[in-house]
Amino acid sequence: DALQEVIDSAREGAPPAMNRDLEVWVQRFLREPLEELQEHERQATRLLVAPTTSAQQSLIKEIGDLSAKICCKGFNPDRVKLMDTRSSRVQRLLASMGERCGAGAPDATADRLSALLGERLKAFEAAHAASARAHREEAARHGSIAERLDQSVESLACFLNDRQATCREGRLQEYKRRCEARTEDMGKTL
């Protein structure tokens, strides 16, 4: 519990750099392809028989919910796992968007959009791999810090026990000296 309090007090939510990185990722890997896809959908609406976006919308909502959990305040030991889950949902969303793009008429816009989505998916996977590696390194660093804190707590407990024993011995010796001094004083007065 004490370690949890130290970690919670050390950081309030995700660091600003991580939030900026996430915003760049959202813009680069979600918003821009989604805007391109929406533009293509507007152009190819007459060719698409039954546009079903409920699966994509549920993925987008799930990605948003996972992002909120990742960016919550304090230490979250599941943050890396949540980020991996979110990245797999983003990959599924991008793949779904790519498939949907290919469902329309095979024209230059669809080919361009399909290529764009493929490039974005590859770029996202590369960025995610780098981010996951950085988070694993940070988790390992936090683990080593926790081990050092545990060792420090153990050392401090031993020091306090030794200090208390020394203080008890010192008080006992001081008490004996006072008793001997009183005995001598009493012997002189009698």
Side-chain angles (χ1 to χ4, degrees), residues 2-11 74-75 142 146 149:
L3 177 60
Q4 184 69 38
E5 290 175 24
V6 169
I7 292 173
D8 286 342
S9 66
R11 182 180 300 170
F75 177 73
H142 285 183
L149 280 173

Side-chain angles (χ1 to χ4, degrees), residues 32-88:
E32 289 176 5
L34 189 57
E35 288 170 3
E36 288 279 334
L37 183 60
Q38 288 171 344
E39 179 62 29
H40 174 70
E41 284 180 10
R42 282 190 285 275
Q43 294 173 359
T45 301
R46 61 183 164 73
L47 299 174
L48 296 175
V49 179
T52 57
T53 61
S54 63
Q56 291 174 354
Q57 289 173 352
S58 68
L59 280 173
I60 291 170
K61 182 180 181 333
E62 190 175 348
I63 290 167
D65 292 344
L66 287 169
S67 295
K69 288 178 186 175
I70 290 167
C71 295
C72 69
K73 279 183 168 184
F75 177 73
N76 183 353
D78 295 331
R79 188 169 276 139
V80 174
K81 182 180 177 185
L82 290 171
M83 291 179 75
D84 286 340
T85 302
R86 183 184 60 188
S87 71
S88 70

Side-chain angles (χ1 to χ4, degrees), residues 109-128:
T109 306
D111 290 341
R112 183 179 60 80
L113 191 55
S114 181
L116 173 70
L117 290 173
E119 290 172 16
R120 295 294 167 102
L121 179 59
K122 287 178 186 175
F124 175 80
E125 288 172 345
H128 173 259

